């Protein structure tokens, strides 16, 4: 990605005629304005920065503040001893903020900043020199100034209209992305390398920084969310001290999404990170992680826009069951608790996830929940929506699921027999009709005696139901006759 960005030629810009920043549409660093009031919380820092050892670089002197955007020399054009100071001056240029809603406004200054960001990324990536702590601090400050901002409201906000389906909305693309992408690339190049000293970096990549980073997942721009996902994943892997805090902060995001807003663009990306985190959980699993499954992941099946993140959610759920098979009963009962009643699209998603969970379920755990589970599957089998019925019937294509059913057929077949018979007799869809007949035949070959018993019970129940219906109709007829008789008597009296 970075190599593609570097293809743009470096253009020389002429020196400005005046240094007065009132000529430009930006706020210089060091002055009041949106570009200068962003700071990074360094509560973990102690004394002023000094070299950590006699062999380390001397602390870099802060250059004077800059009040206009001017091109600076390239790193290769200055001596090694001057590069740290030049690095700080380039960071100052990158602290200037611009209005990207007008592409022609401050075009020269925008290009100077873009080229400067490219040089900074290249400098960090090349490892030309070890950054002093002052340079690291100022770099994180510059990154904070650029990425931590107020996100634009969602398209439905402040309009009085109902929010549209998130899956159908066109995503908002950040107009400042040409600069923002390079800032994220710089942060990524700072976090990823193995030679980055985490003891120093954690002073600047602290809890406050991570919390602000998590807030940015609400952006509608998928390009930005993709960078955030990669960066947060790297931070989680590199800074062990932040791991509990990141998990807790994610919990709070999920809780707010589930119980308050049901709107968040980055749930899928956060779950994708969690999938990797869960995969690394040690056994036996901590109680904290089990509570996270019960209180956050399972309730994430409740919100309406589940289709946007279901794939990632399903992966996380299955990871838990594969890590600890005893959680299968908890997960299946959780799915049944949030099973959709009127949303056929969600039902199809639930059935697909259920199949993946059952593949990782052991016979003992399966027996604990099989009765309520197959009562719900029976309702799906007889659904008038052919996609729901067909997806439920596809469970019998899975060998592991068929094996679990075969071991417990004496309990399961009586529960689902009526749904299979009704599909064969009355369902409008031919595919559902054919699949139901195949499953019925499978049970017949599996256990003829059980099948005959279920067939007999079904016929008796149908005959009894028919008799009850006839009695009900007979009572209604007698009631109608009594009403007519009363009306005739009243008519004769009058």
């Amino acid at each position: 990605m970075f190599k593609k960005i570097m293809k743009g030629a470096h253009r020389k810009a002429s020196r400005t005629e005046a240094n007065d920043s009132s000529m430009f549409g930006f706020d210089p660093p060091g002055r009041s304005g949106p570009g200068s009031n962003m700071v990074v919380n360094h509560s973990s820092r102690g004394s002023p920065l000094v070299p950590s050892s006699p062999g380390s670089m001397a602390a870099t002197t802060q250059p004077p503040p800059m009040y206009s955007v001017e091109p600076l020399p390239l790193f290769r054009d200055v001596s090694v001893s001057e590069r740290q100071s030049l690095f700080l001056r380039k960071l100052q240029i990158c602290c200037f903020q611009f209005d990207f809603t007008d592409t022609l406004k401050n075009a020269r200054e925008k290009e100077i900043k873009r080229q400067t960001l490219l040089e900074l990324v290249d400098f960090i990536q090349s490892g030309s020199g070890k950054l002093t702590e002052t340079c690291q601090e100022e770099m994180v400050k510059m990154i904070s100034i650029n990425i931590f901002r107020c996100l634009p409201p969602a398209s439905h906000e402040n309009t009085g209209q109902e929010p549209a389906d998130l899956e159908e909305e066109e995503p908002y693309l950040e107009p400042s992305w040409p600069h923002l992408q390079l800032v994220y690339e710089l942060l990524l190049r700072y976090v990823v390398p193995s030679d980055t000293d985490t003891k120093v970096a954690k002073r600047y990549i602290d809890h406050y920084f991570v919390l602000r980073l998590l807030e940015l997942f609400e952006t509608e721009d998928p390009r930005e969310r993709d960078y955030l996902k990669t960066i947060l994943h790297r931070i989680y892997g590199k800074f062990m001290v932040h791991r509990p805090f990141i998990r807790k902060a994610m919990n709070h995001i999920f809780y707010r999404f589930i119980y308050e807003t049901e709107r968040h663009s980055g749930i899928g990306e956060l779950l994708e990170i969690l999938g990797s985190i869960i995969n690394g959980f040690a056994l036996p699993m901590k109680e904290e992680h089990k509570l996270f499954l019960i209180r956050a992941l399972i309730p994430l099946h409740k919100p309406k826009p589940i289709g946007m993140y279901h794939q990632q959610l399903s992966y996380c759920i299955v990871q838990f069951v594969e890590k600890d098979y005893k959680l299968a009963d908890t997960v299946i009962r959780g799915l049944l608790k949030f099973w959709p009643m009127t949303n056929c699209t969600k039902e199809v998603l639930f059935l697909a996830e259920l199949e993946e969970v059952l593949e990782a379920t052991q016979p003992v755990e399966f027996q604990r929940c099989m009765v309520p589970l197959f009562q719900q599957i029976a309702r799906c089998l007889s659904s008038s929506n052919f996609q729901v019925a067909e997806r439920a019937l596809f469970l019998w294509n899975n060998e592991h699921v068929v094996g679990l059913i075969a071991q417990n057929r004496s309990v399961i077949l009586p529960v689902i027999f009526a749904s299979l018979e009704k599909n064969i007799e009355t369902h409008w869809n031919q595919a559902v009709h054919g699949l139901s007949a195949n499953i019925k035949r499978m049970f017949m070959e599996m256990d003829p005696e059980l099948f005959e018993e279920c067939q007999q019970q079904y016929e008796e129940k149908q005959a009894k139901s028919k008799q009850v219906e006839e009695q009900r109709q007979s009572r209604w007829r007698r009631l109608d006759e009594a009403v007519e008789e009363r009306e005739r008597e009243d008519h004769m009296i009058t």
Side-chain angles (χ1 to χ4, degrees), residues 229-247:
K229 176 185 68 177
T230 306
I231 290 167
L232 186 64
H233 193 190
R234 296 290 187 173
I235 290 173
Y236 186 91
K238 199 174 192 72
F239 299 87
M240 294 187 67
V241 68
H242 292 336
R243 290 183 180 182
F245 177 80
I246 291 173
R247 291 197 300 269

Side-chain angles (χ1 to χ4, degrees), residues 391-403:
R391 190 65 190 82
L393 290 163
F394 282 161
L395 290 172
W396 274 264
N397 290 340
N398 189 299
E399 290 184 10
H400 182 74
V401 175
V402 170

Side-chain angles (χ1 to χ4, degrees), residues 10 72-78 86 90 119:
H10 179 72
L72 294 173
L74 299 176
F75 284 110
R76 64 172 178 265
D77 295 337
V78 299
L86 179 60
K90 287 181 182 290
E119 292 170 29

Side-chain angles (χ1 to χ4, degrees), residues 39 47 109 112 153 191 243 257 323 353 357 377 418 441 455 460 472:
V39 295
S47 57
E109 289 78 18
I112 292 173
V191 171
R243 290 183 180 182
F257 172 71
K323 281 278 182 181
E353 181 178 352
V357 172
I377 290 175
R441 193 178 307 112
Q455 181 82 41
E460 289 174 358
R472 189 179 70 84

Side-chain angles (χ1 to χ4, degrees), residues 344 347 377-390 423 427-428 432:
C344 296
E347 275 198 276
I377 290 175
R379 286 190 286 270
C380 293
L381 289 173
S382 56
S383 173
S384 58
N385 184 286
F386 83 95
Q387 291 177 319
V388 174
E390 191 175 54
N423 280 353
H427 204 284
W428 62 273
V432 172

Side-chain angles (χ1 to χ4, degrees), residues 110-347:
K110 289 175 184 176
E111 180 59 21
I112 292 173
K113 179 179 176 180
R114 191 183 74 84
Q115 291 292 343
T116 304
L117 284 167
L118 281 168
E119 292 170 29
L120 290 173
V121 172
D122 187 43
F123 182 77
I124 295 293
Q125 188 176 14
S126 64
S128 301
K130 184 175 176 62
L131 293 179
T132 64
E133 293 187 12
T134 302
C135 288
Q136 292 182 53
E137 179 182 16
E138 293 305 313
M139 181 174 67
V140 175
K141 280 184 180 180
M142 183 278 289
I143 290 169
S144 301
I145 288 170
N146 280 276
I147 66 174
F148 297 145
R149 65 205 189 280
C150 291
L151 297 174
S155 55
H156 73 281
E157 292 182 14
N158 303 324
T159 62
Q161 299 177 354
E162 286 293 319
D165 189 346
L166 284 174
E167 296 180 54
E168 297 178 0
E169 283 186 5
E170 286 293 327
Y172 169 83
L173 299 179
E174 176 61 47
S176 63
W177 186 245
H179 287 184
L180 206 57
Q181 179 185 13
L182 295 172
V183 176
Y184 278 121
E185 195 70 37
L186 183 64
L187 177 58
L188 189 61
R189 301 300 173 190
Y190 173 60
V191 171
V192 167
S194 57
D195 58 348
T196 299
D197 189 349
T198 54
K199 291 182 180 179
V200 175
K202 73 179 182 182
R203 300 177 185 175
Y204 317 117
I205 309 294
D206 56 9
H207 284 181
Y208 180 70
F209 184 91
V210 170
L211 191 62
R212 298 297 302 275
L213 209 62
L214 281 163
E215 290 173 358
L216 289 174
F217 275 87
E218 285 203 75
T219 179
E220 293 185 21
D221 194 326
R223 303 168 299 180
E224 184 171 6
R225 294 201 306 271
D226 195 50
Y227 265 101
L228 288 165
K229 176 185 68 177
T230 306
I231 290 167
L232 186 64
H233 193 190
R234 296 290 187 173
I235 290 173
Y236 186 91
K238 199 174 192 72
F239 299 87
M240 294 187 67
V241 68
H242 292 336
R243 290 183 180 182
F245 177 80
I246 291 173
R247 291 197 300 269
K248 187 176 180 181
M250 284 183 174
N251 270 355
H252 292 160
I253 292 172
F254 293 146
Y255 293 155
R256 187 166 182 266
F257 172 71
I258 295 165
Y259 300 110
E260 294 181 18
T261 64
E262 288 200 358
R263 285 190 73 88
H264 195 292
S265 301
I267 297 296
E269 285 79 6
L270 291 172
L271 287 171
E272 201 169 328
I273 297 169
L274 276 170
S276 298
I277 293 173
I278 295 165
N279 195 32
F281 282 166
L283 295 176
M285 198 174 291
K286 294 180 181 178
E287 193 64 26
E288 170 204 343
H289 303 328
K290 295 179 182 179
L291 288 175
F292 169 69
L293 168 69
I294 296 167
R295 295 177 179 176
L297 286 186
I298 291 177
L300 274 172
H301 291 85
K302 175 179 175 285
K304 185 179 178 182
I306 186 176
M308 295 188 65
Y309 57 82
H310 180 263
Q311 184 179 354
Q312 296 91 333
L313 175 61
S314 178
Y315 178 78
C316 291
I317 293 288
V318 173
Q319 284 286 303
F320 266 102
V321 179
E322 289 178 348
K323 281 278 182 181
D324 186 352
Y325 70 91
K326 292 181 181 179
L327 293 172
D329 178 52
T330 303
V331 167
I332 291 172
R333 290 183 184 275
L335 284 173
L336 296 177
K337 178 182 178 181
F338 293 103
W339 200 277
M341 303 300 292
T342 58
N343 191 326
C344 296
T345 305
K346 279 183 72 172
E347 275 198 276

